[in-house]
Amino acid sequence: MGIPNLLSTILWLPLIGIILIFLMSRESERAIKVVALVTALLDFVLSLFLLLSFDFTNPGFQFVEKSIWIDFLNTFYFLGVDGVSILFVPLSTLVTLLCILISWDSIKEKVKEFYLALLFTNIAMVGVFLSLDLLLFYLFWEALLIPMYLIIGVWGGPRRIYSTLKFFLYTFFGSVFMLIAIIYIFLQYGTFDYTALLGKTFAPHVEKLLFLGFLIAFAIKVPMWPVHTWLPDAHTEAPTAGSVILAGILIKLGGYGMVRFLLPLFPQATLYFAKLILVLSVIAIIYAGLACLWQSDLKRLIAYSSVSHMGFVTLGIFSLNPIGVKGAILQMINHGIVTGALFMCVGVIYDRTHSRAISYYGGLATTFPLYAAFFMVFTLASIGLPGTNGFIGEFMILLGTFLRDKLMVVLASTGVIIGAAYMLWLYQRVFFQKPSPNVFNLTPMKWNELTAIIPMLALVFLIGFYPNPFLDFMRATVSQILLNFR
């Protein structure tokens, strides 16, 4: 039995939680957490229902909802999912749910406002993936900045204001160019309707400028080298939930935007700039990987590793063949799972020791064995060990890129080796060696921490051993998007 207006239900359900929490007393902290948790859980269940109801043989948009929104602008409240967006919706709701769990005991100030911000973030993230109207997409894209600004700026570390401003200015700067491009498209064709714009053509020089307008916004969000510098600062100062959202969803929006807008709307410009983006991707992979080797802060190291991993994603997207693009989409999901889980693990130990310095630790495998086992699995997934989810995405990206540019694959492959080096070296320093006095008598992992981390663990092996169902979702849609590049 179907659920009417399923996409709107998933999108706006958190609003009910927001209203309920808004009406509750600040002192009712436990009740606020329970309302946020139940709301996020229901939203995740609905998004799973959406996933299971999705027809992966249909390359077009499904569960479409469309009604006029602003008449004189000819803009629509237009929602839909296809093989590119379908996996990101449950990932967004799952990340929100796990962020609520992992923050259960660690957020002690302004609890009400924190959970309001998390639920608002959920709406904005899902809205970006569901929007099929350019103006609606842009509004959700920008709306996400507000709760993230608050989450980092209010509940972050000592340099949170600097990091928040940097994050805001970078992403807002990029968005301005995208807005200009959207306005130009509207003035030329009189609509923001994404499906109506598919197949429309632009003069070659205009298409390149429009491509660059969108690309700047997406490149900053990914983030690509050399516009990546906001990410390590934002990750370092963000609370655990903020880092998980950044790694799990926010930086995926750039990659998603490239597949959703750049490839289908601007195919000739995509071909023109593809080589440049492949080169920038390889630089990101190698540069950020090397930067990891000299990091002394746990979160900063994982943040730089994100820049390197996302370099593989852009490499796969601009390979412009089905293997590479599907690998890139899958790798975005994988990175959200693995890096999100690594940030959760860092949060677990930070809550106990209040230190993120790598040199502070040592011997955790002896004193905190269950935690060490979790961290080991996510470390191996991060370096792409066969049997984990990191392997299949990375392998497909390299294979797809090999079909387009062999030199890029040779260079990018050095990033795989560098990645293994910095992650294993990190593990060796933190978990082995003589136990540091700082890591004795740590309290065991709590129920909420285990409940947040174990689903990520299951997904690492589920995708690692049986990726086919996940690839099936995107197969038909990706083939259709790439028709322009045959």
Side-chain angles (χ1 to χ4, degrees), residues 177-178 180-181 184 202-216 266 269 273:
F177 290 95
M178 183 166 67
I180 294 169
Y184 183 91
F202 304 91
H205 68 286
V206 172
E207 184 175 332
K208 288 172 188 171
L209 289 173
L210 293 174
F211 177 95
L212 289 174
F214 279 86
L215 177 66
I216 292 170
F266 315 116
F273 288 108

mmCIF file of all heavy atoms in Angstrom, residues 177-178 180-181 184 202-216 266 269 273:
data_model
loop_
_atom_site.group_PDB
_atom_site.id
_atom_site.type_symbol
_atom_site.label_atom_id
_atom_site.label_comp_id
_atom_site.label_asym_id
_atom_site.label_seq_id
_atom_site.Cartn_x
_atom_site.Cartn_y
_atom_site.Cartn_z
ATOM 1 N N PHE A 177 27.566 32.392 -7.386
ATOM 2 C CA PHE A 177 27.781 32.107 -8.810
ATOM 3 C C PHE A 177 26.712 31.157 -9.347
ATOM 4 O O PHE A 177 26.252 31.278 -10.479
ATOM 5 C CB PHE A 177 29.182 31.532 -9.031
ATOM 6 C CG PHE A 177 30.269 32.537 -8.810
ATOM 7 C CD1 PHE A 177 30.919 32.635 -7.595
ATOM 8 C CD2 PHE A 177 30.629 33.414 -9.825
ATOM 9 C CE1 PHE A 177 31.912 33.572 -7.386
ATOM 10 C CE2 PHE A 177 31.620 34.362 -9.638
ATOM 11 C CZ PHE A 177 32.266 34.449 -8.406
ATOM 12 N N MET A 178 26.339 30.185 -8.499
ATOM 13 C CA MET A 178 25.281 29.260 -8.934
ATOM 14 C C MET A 178 23.961 30.015 -9.105
ATOM 15 O O MET A 178 23.218 29.763 -10.053
ATOM 16 C CB MET A 178 25.117 28.123 -7.923
ATOM 17 C CG MET A 178 24.081 27.101 -8.350
ATOM 18 S SD MET A 178 24.127 25.575 -7.419
ATOM 19 C CE MET A 178 23.602 26.116 -5.801
ATOM 20 N N ILE A 180 23.547 33.152 -9.916
ATOM 21 C CA ILE A 180 23.609 33.942 -11.156
ATOM 22 C C ILE A 180 23.332 33.044 -12.367
ATOM 23 O O ILE A 180 22.587 33.412 -13.283
ATOM 24 C CB ILE A 180 24.990 34.625 -11.290
ATOM 25 C CG1 ILE A 180 25.165 35.667 -10.179
ATOM 26 C CG2 ILE A 180 25.148 35.272 -12.658
ATOM 27 C CD1 ILE A 180 26.568 36.210 -10.061
ATOM 28 N N ALA A 181 23.909 31.838 -12.343
ATOM 29 C CA ALA A 181 23.688 30.898 -13.454
ATOM 30 C C ALA A 181 22.221 30.493 -13.525
ATOM 31 O O ALA A 181 21.632 30.404 -14.619
ATOM 32 C CB ALA A 181 24.575 29.673 -13.270
ATOM 33 N N TYR A 184 20.194 33.302 -15.019
ATOM 34 C CA TYR A 184 20.399 33.406 -16.479
ATOM 35 C C TYR A 184 19.569 32.341 -17.207
ATOM 36 O O TYR A 184 18.928 32.621 -18.232
ATOM 37 C CB TYR A 184 21.883 33.240 -16.817
ATOM 38 C CG TYR A 184 22.145 33.403 -18.303
ATOM 39 C CD1 TYR A 184 22.453 34.656 -18.829
ATOM 40 C CD2 TYR A 184 22.042 32.314 -19.183
ATOM 41 C CE1 TYR A 184 22.654 34.817 -20.192
ATOM 42 C CE2 TYR A 184 22.240 32.470 -20.546
ATOM 43 C CZ TYR A 184 22.558 33.719 -21.038
ATOM 44 O OH TYR A 184 22.750 33.879 -22.396
ATOM 45 N N PHE A 202 22.545 25.759 -25.127
ATOM 46 C CA PHE A 202 23.055 27.114 -24.930
ATOM 47 C C PHE A 202 24.176 27.350 -25.934
ATOM 48 O O PHE A 202 24.796 26.396 -26.420
ATOM 49 C CB PHE A 202 23.604 27.283 -23.504
ATOM 50 C CG PHE A 202 22.612 26.968 -22.429
ATOM 51 C CD1 PHE A 202 22.515 25.682 -21.894
ATOM 52 C CD2 PHE A 202 21.755 27.949 -21.942
ATOM 53 C CE1 PHE A 202 21.595 25.392 -20.900
ATOM 54 C CE2 PHE A 202 20.833 27.668 -20.952
ATOM 55 C CZ PHE A 202 20.763 26.384 -20.428
ATOM 56 N N ALA A 203 24.437 28.625 -26.213
ATOM 57 C CA ALA A 203 25.606 28.947 -27.042
ATOM 58 C C ALA A 203 26.857 28.415 -26.327
ATOM 59 O O ALA A 203 26.916 28.432 -25.094
ATOM 60 C CB ALA A 203 25.699 30.458 -27.222
ATOM 61 N N PRO A 204 27.852 27.934 -27.088
ATOM 62 C CA PRO A 204 29.010 27.283 -26.450
ATOM 63 C C PRO A 204 29.666 28.108 -25.343
ATOM 64 O O PRO A 204 29.962 27.569 -24.262
ATOM 65 C CB PRO A 204 29.962 27.061 -27.622
ATOM 66 C CG PRO A 204 29.073 26.949 -28.812
ATOM 67 C CD PRO A 204 27.929 27.863 -28.565
ATOM 68 N N HIS A 205 29.881 29.421 -25.596
ATOM 69 C CA HIS A 205 30.555 30.203 -24.557
ATOM 70 C C HIS A 205 29.642 30.414 -23.348
ATOM 71 O O HIS A 205 30.098 30.446 -22.207
ATOM 72 C CB HIS A 205 30.997 31.563 -25.131
ATOM 73 C CG HIS A 205 29.880 32.482 -25.468
ATOM 74 N ND1 HIS A 205 29.068 32.304 -26.562
ATOM 75 C CD2 HIS A 205 29.404 33.590 -24.825
ATOM 76 C CE1 HIS A 205 28.159 33.258 -26.616
ATOM 77 N NE2 HIS A 205 28.334 34.054 -25.563
ATOM 78 N N VAL A 206 28.317 30.501 -23.586
ATOM 79 C CA VAL A 206 27.371 30.639 -22.469
ATOM 80 C C VAL A 206 27.341 29.356 -21.644
ATOM 81 O O VAL A 206 27.335 29.395 -20.411
ATOM 82 C CB VAL A 206 25.956 30.971 -23.004
ATOM 83 C CG1 VAL A 206 24.932 30.917 -21.880
ATOM 84 C CG2 VAL A 206 25.961 32.344 -23.658
ATOM 85 N N GLU A 207 27.335 28.232 -22.329
ATOM 86 C CA GLU A 207 27.297 26.947 -21.619
ATOM 87 C C GLU A 207 28.520 26.785 -20.707
ATOM 88 O O GLU A 207 28.409 26.313 -19.583
ATOM 89 C CB GLU A 207 27.227 25.787 -22.610
ATOM 90 C CG GLU A 207 27.098 24.436 -21.906
ATOM 91 C CD GLU A 207 26.907 23.282 -22.867
ATOM 92 O OE1 GLU A 207 26.362 23.512 -23.970
ATOM 93 O OE2 GLU A 207 27.291 22.153 -22.517
ATOM 94 N N LYS A 208 29.672 27.225 -21.209
ATOM 95 C CA LYS A 208 30.889 27.119 -20.376
ATOM 96 C C LYS A 208 30.782 28.014 -19.144
ATOM 97 O O LYS A 208 31.180 27.633 -18.033
ATOM 98 C CB LYS A 208 32.120 27.512 -21.201
ATOM 99 C CG LYS A 208 32.492 26.464 -22.232
ATOM 100 C CD LYS A 208 33.593 26.980 -23.152
ATOM 101 C CE LYS A 208 33.841 26.005 -24.306
ATOM 102 N NZ LYS A 208 34.738 26.559 -25.327
ATOM 103 N N LEU A 209 30.234 29.219 -19.323
ATOM 104 C CA LEU A 209 30.090 30.124 -18.176
ATOM 105 C C LEU A 209 29.078 29.578 -17.165
ATOM 106 O O LEU A 209 29.297 29.648 -15.947
ATOM 107 C CB LEU A 209 29.668 31.516 -18.664
ATOM 108 C CG LEU A 209 30.739 32.310 -19.415
ATOM 109 C CD1 LEU A 209 30.155 33.587 -19.999
ATOM 110 C CD2 LEU A 209 31.907 32.638 -18.482
ATOM 111 N N LEU A 210 27.962 29.039 -17.673
ATOM 112 C CA LEU A 210 26.961 28.458 -16.760
ATOM 113 C C LEU A 210 27.545 27.258 -16.018
ATOM 114 O O LEU A 210 27.325 27.080 -14.819
ATOM 115 C CB LEU A 210 25.726 28.031 -17.566
ATOM 116 C CG LEU A 210 24.907 29.165 -18.187
ATOM 117 C CD1 LEU A 210 23.809 28.605 -19.082
ATOM 118 C CD2 LEU A 210 24.302 30.042 -17.096
ATOM 119 N N PHE A 211 28.292 26.448 -16.744
ATOM 120 C CA PHE A 211 28.964 25.293 -16.128
ATOM 121 C C PHE A 211 29.864 25.759 -14.987
ATOM 122 O O PHE A 211 29.836 25.189 -13.883
ATOM 123 C CB PHE A 211 29.776 24.565 -17.208
ATOM 124 C CG PHE A 211 30.582 23.399 -16.705
ATOM 125 C CD1 PHE A 211 30.077 22.112 -16.760
ATOM 126 C CD2 PHE A 211 31.862 23.584 -16.166
ATOM 127 C CE1 PHE A 211 30.816 21.039 -16.296
ATOM 128 C CE2 PHE A 211 32.610 22.514 -15.702
ATOM 129 C CZ PHE A 211 32.087 21.245 -15.781
ATOM 130 N N LEU A 212 30.643 26.807 -15.259
ATOM 131 C CA LEU A 212 31.562 27.301 -14.219
ATOM 132 C C LEU A 212 30.791 27.868 -13.024
ATOM 133 O O LEU A 212 31.216 27.717 -11.880
ATOM 134 C CB LEU A 212 32.490 28.368 -14.812
ATOM 135 C CG LEU A 212 33.557 27.846 -15.782
ATOM 136 C CD1 LEU A 212 34.312 29.011 -16.415
ATOM 137 C CD2 LEU A 212 34.526 26.905 -15.066
ATOM 138 N N GLY A 213 29.654 28.518 -13.293
ATOM 139 C CA GLY A 213 28.845 29.056 -12.197
ATOM 140 C C GLY A 213 28.408 27.969 -11.235
ATOM 141 O O GLY A 213 28.526 28.098 -10.007
ATOM 142 N N PHE A 214 27.910 26.855 -11.780
ATOM 143 C CA PHE A 214 27.518 25.720 -10.932
ATOM 144 C C PHE A 214 28.746 25.043 -10.340
ATOM 145 O O PHE A 214 28.756 24.653 -9.171
ATOM 146 C CB PHE A 214 26.715 24.703 -11.744
ATOM 147 C CG PHE A 214 25.267 25.063 -11.924
ATOM 148 C CD1 PHE A 214 24.856 25.885 -12.961
ATOM 149 C CD2 PHE A 214 24.307 24.584 -11.059
ATOM 150 C CE1 PHE A 214 23.523 26.219 -13.127
ATOM 151 C CE2 PHE A 214 22.958 24.905 -11.213
ATOM 152 C CZ PHE A 214 22.567 25.731 -12.250
ATOM 153 N N LEU A 215 29.802 24.896 -11.176
ATOM 154 C CA LEU A 215 30.982 24.160 -10.726
ATOM 155 C C LEU A 215 31.624 24.804 -9.494
ATOM 156 O O LEU A 215 32.038 24.098 -8.569
ATOM 157 C CB LEU A 215 32.017 24.066 -11.852
ATOM 158 C CG LEU A 215 33.332 23.382 -11.455
ATOM 159 C CD1 LEU A 215 33.097 21.907 -11.143
ATOM 160 C CD2 LEU A 215 34.387 23.525 -12.549
ATOM 161 N N ILE A 216 31.701 26.134 -9.477
ATOM 162 C CA ILE A 216 32.338 26.802 -8.334
ATOM 163 C C ILE A 216 31.609 26.440 -7.037
ATOM 164 O O ILE A 216 32.234 26.125 -6.012
ATOM 165 C CB ILE A 216 32.360 28.332 -8.562
ATOM 166 C CG1 ILE A 216 33.314 28.669 -9.703
ATOM 167 C CG2 ILE A 216 32.798 29.060 -7.287
ATOM 168 C CD1 ILE A 216 33.229 30.116 -10.170
ATOM 169 N N PHE A 266 24.831 20.565 -19.112
ATOM 170 C CA PHE A 266 25.928 21.218 -19.847
ATOM 171 C C PHE A 266 26.915 20.168 -20.395
ATOM 172 O O PHE A 266 28.100 20.149 -20.024
ATOM 173 C CB PHE A 266 26.682 22.183 -18.920
ATOM 174 C CG PHE A 266 25.779 23.055 -18.085
ATOM 175 C CD1 PHE A 266 25.762 22.946 -16.702
ATOM 176 C CD2 PHE A 266 24.934 23.978 -18.687
ATOM 177 C CE1 PHE A 266 24.920 23.731 -15.930
ATOM 178 C CE2 PHE A 266 24.096 24.778 -17.927
ATOM 179 C CZ PHE A 266 24.078 24.659 -16.545
ATOM 180 N N ALA A 269 30.175 21.563 -22.275
ATOM 181 C CA ALA A 269 31.103 22.183 -21.320
ATOM 182 C C ALA A 269 31.734 21.131 -20.416
ATOM 183 O O ALA A 269 32.903 21.243 -20.030
ATOM 184 C CB ALA A 269 30.371 23.225 -20.491
ATOM 185 N N PHE A 273 35.740 20.796 -19.940
ATOM 186 C CA PHE A 273 36.458 20.991 -18.676
ATOM 187 C C PHE A 273 36.851 19.670 -17.977
ATOM 188 O O PHE A 273 37.457 19.703 -16.914
ATOM 189 C CB PHE A 273 35.594 21.804 -17.698
ATOM 190 C CG PHE A 273 35.471 23.260 -18.077
ATOM 191 C CD1 PHE A 273 34.284 23.781 -18.574
ATOM 192 C CD2 PHE A 273 36.557 24.112 -17.940
ATOM 193 C CE1 PHE A 273 34.171 25.126 -18.923
ATOM 194 C CE2 PHE A 273 36.460 25.462 -18.285
ATOM 195 C CZ PHE A 273 35.263 25.968 -18.783
#
